[in-house]
Amino acid sequence: MSDHIDGPRQIGDPAVDITDLLAFTSPENPARTVLAVNVFPTCGVDAIFSNAINHSIVVRRAKVAGIGEATKFETADPEIRFSCRFEALERGAVDRKPVQRGIFTFPDGQTLRFLAGNEKGASTPDGAFRVYAGMRSDPFILAWLIPAGLKKFQNLLFNDNVLSIVVEFDTQRVLDPGKGSLFAVIAETIPIPRPGALVGHEPPRMDWVGRPENTNMRLNNPRLTGADDIRDLWNQQTPFAIDEKFRPLFLQRMKDSLAEWDMRDGKQDWTPSALAVNASMFVDDFLLMDVAKPMTDTSHLEIERSTINGKAYQTGGGRTVDSDVIDILMTWIVNRDREFLEGGTTKATKPGTKTFPYLASPNLDLQTVVETIDVGAAPDKVWELIGQFGSNWHPLIAEIRLTGTGLGQLRTIETVDGKQIIERLEAIDNAGRFYRYTNVSGLSVANYTGMLSVKPNGVGSSVEWRAQFLPNGQATIAVKTIVSTLFKVGLDSLKSRF
Amino acid sequence: MTEAAVLDCECFQTTDGEIAITNLNSARLRSWNRFYQDPQRAGAAETVLEHEQLTAQFAGDLSALGRLEAFGEQLGRLDAFSSRTMMIQAQIASALHRFSDARHYLAQASLGGAPSADVMRVLLNVDQACGSHLEEVLDERRRIVAKSGRFEDRVALGALLADVGEFNDADEIYRQALREYRDVSPFPVAWVCFQLGMLWGELVPEPQLARAEHWYRKAVVGLPCYVRARVHLAEICSATGRAREAEATLRPALASGDPEVSWRLADVLHAEGSVGEAASHLEAARSRFEELLDKHLLAFADHGAEFYIGSGGDPSRALELAEINLKNRPTLRAFEQTYTIALGAGETDVANEVSVRATKCWGNAPAFQLSSFVQGSLETGKGAAA
């Protein structure tokens, strides 16, 4: 995941954990630039920003200081810093949820107080800056099983949400691209110092991110056996100024990791010298964007890739909401753009939007339906009846047809009232008397997973039927009632059989 | 600098407790969703375990223990014999004080190829909880702290030092953990503050209530829903003649359903003369204790014993529970509790027998010299039949 949960320390407070940094031209107004940082991977629908953290996006001017095997990007002071901190919750009326406010501080010193979760965001009086902070659908796509080599998979972040901080600003006024239009961007989370607080040490940096996946895929490549986890050490480095004492360590780890990535398709596409320059480029971790050139869904890393290939870059690089950054990155580090590597999907849970705040609205919580019943028969006896994926034991089912065998087989169910439901077998354990299946069609749901299990209960058995799903096209209560009724009627019918 | 100021120096800004609890709950629900979507996914089950453990410890939500138990059952159905499942089952069993089950699962996990460091980590917790091999555990804890310096390892070492009577060393280790804490989550900070409160309020032979109160209060300020800290803070308020303050400390925790809250509130109200309300809270405590003992006997046996020898007013039930706890985890503290309760229940023969067993098990430990078996005999001239 793009720095999602990228170090053991984030377990402390997941709200400090940066998942992604985005930089792109405003879809609403090409004269404006948007920067966004997401925190709190896989947060639930009630998640709130930490009030103990300063969230910053820092921009510095950058220049190409060398190309080809001398590739080097240099950054310069002064920094252009956007900072955002949040307050403790405010009590609303008794029947209202508490609200959270935050304060943005902009590079020109202006500050702006805003309400978290307000879809319209807030703007400074001069219109130069506009901000939003709140929960959004995670735009990230990770459709590979990274530790397994090059195994495609569904998007592992499907239906996830994150907390997003979005700032849009007047490019000309804030960045003055006439002095140079190439910029380096990072995001960081730092505890807020308080008088009398943090005695004995400076506020540590909790997390920071430049390009995606510097930690989870590159520095912590899971296929480098025996390698220490150095992600926390990396996260505590100062962006734009990696400690020279640790630089050799990071550089060697990056080389080892990139060499392993290069060979994942069985072909060596990187010469040792090219790989070394690539590693050095990645250790200088910042997201590059050229605000004078187009930033598109495919322009991510193009500045770095072209420069290492000895060519002038053509795009604005950056990273849009819909960038399929993992596929772009893997194509580059596995085969140096010889052949595009496409994961199991190229679509996030929801695409970005063309209107502010550009990240899609959050995903709903999965709904759960659980029904259980105790029967007097032994578990094996009960499982014999209901444990076959294609067995028709349910009074509301007229007919079941199976397609295929084993895992992945489909059952087409005709209900007594003429509806058709198609389900796929995902896992079965006859010894454990359990199977899991997903819904393909026939119910107004998305992301439906059902589970049927039988366990011993005294001299008899306990049968549990459980499902989780997102309502899709019908009211939640209606869908839950349909599923619950289906389960209840089925389980109740077992009483008369045993 | 006053002691209070010195102590204050060691605490700092953390995420607001209310925000942290909301986030924990939201992450917990999400982790269950992810587990059900793909139970075999790396980390999915472990995350559920971690979130439920945090919820049980800090959110005042005792239903988390039931969820943990159910989680163990589901995991057993999904992936019964993998070493990963065995490791999680061991941690669940340990959290529910089913220590012999935990040992069994750890042995299975080890046979199944679980990383030995992971097995050792949980086994140390089990040994420490049961008072087994404490010298070896202490050596290992020190070694781990020297190597890792991790916060949770320091706290575990502090707790063990407190168990063996090395109170000043425990205090120093706890403070060091606070000084070197580098996160903003309020949970670990509240945890150490609570441990320091316990150390100075309950474990030392001569309790320093003001010092303990300071730490309990810090735990509650950082994490208002930390029920255990509220209960202990209220006890100190009550013991020092501040019944109103004790009541105000306990009332916000009533909704947690923790029987200790109802029990302590009943005591406070009774002392204030609100006999009717006190009786209803006492009944609520009794009923809730029995409900919890029915579901999680080993996890609540010692708490139940304290209740019944106190306001619960059933010394024989107290002794029964104390003996169950002692059998499950024969720590010096469990011996002391059983001995005291046996005396309180008028069971002198049982008390003497417990004293003999305690001396046999713990007589050579330095902490034994600070125990009620020795101290009691010095004070009363009677003492245990050791």
Side-chain angles (χ1 to χ4, degrees), chain A residues 127-203:
Chain A
F129 301 97
R130 186 182 187 188
V131 302
Y132 166 84
M135 187 175 296
R136 308 315 281 169
S137 176
D138 193 336
F140 197 64
I141 309 156
L142 177 59
W144 298 88
L145 291 177
I146 298 292
L150 290 178
K151 190 172 177 189
K152 296 182 182 192
F153 202 65
Q154 67 209 37
N155 183 13
L156 287 162
L157 280 74
F158 183 78
N159 205 42
D160 277 3
N161 294 317
V162 286
L163 293 177
S164 295
I165 298 169
V166 181
V167 56
E168 181 186 284
F169 55 87
D170 180 323
T171 309
Q172 182 63 44
R173 185 171 147 179
V174 177
L175 296 181
D176 191 7
K179 293 180 179 171
S181 56
L182 184 63
F183 293 90
V185 192
I186 64 99
E188 61 184 359
T189 47
I190 299 180
I192 298 170
R194 290 271 192 273
L198 295 157
V199 168
H201 57 79
E202 285 295 300

Side-chain angles (χ1 to χ4, degrees), chain A residues 235-246:
Chain A
N235 286 337
Q236 289 166 64
Q237 296 301 299
T238 303
F240 304 114
I242 303 299
D243 189 331
E244 286 305 319
K245 189 170 59 190
F246 295 116

Side-chain angles (χ1 to χ4, degrees), chain B residues 9-10 28 38 59 64 89 141 143 145 155 200 232 243 256 259 270 273 285 291 304 325 331 338 362-363:
Chain B
C9 279
E10 294 179 5
R28 181 180 66 79
D38 186 2
Q89 297 282 33
R141 289 264 185 240
R143 195 190 60 73
V145 165
V155 180
W200 295 113
H232 287 261
S256 70
H270 196 273
E291 191 185 321
N325 179 59
T331 61
T338 311
W362 291 99

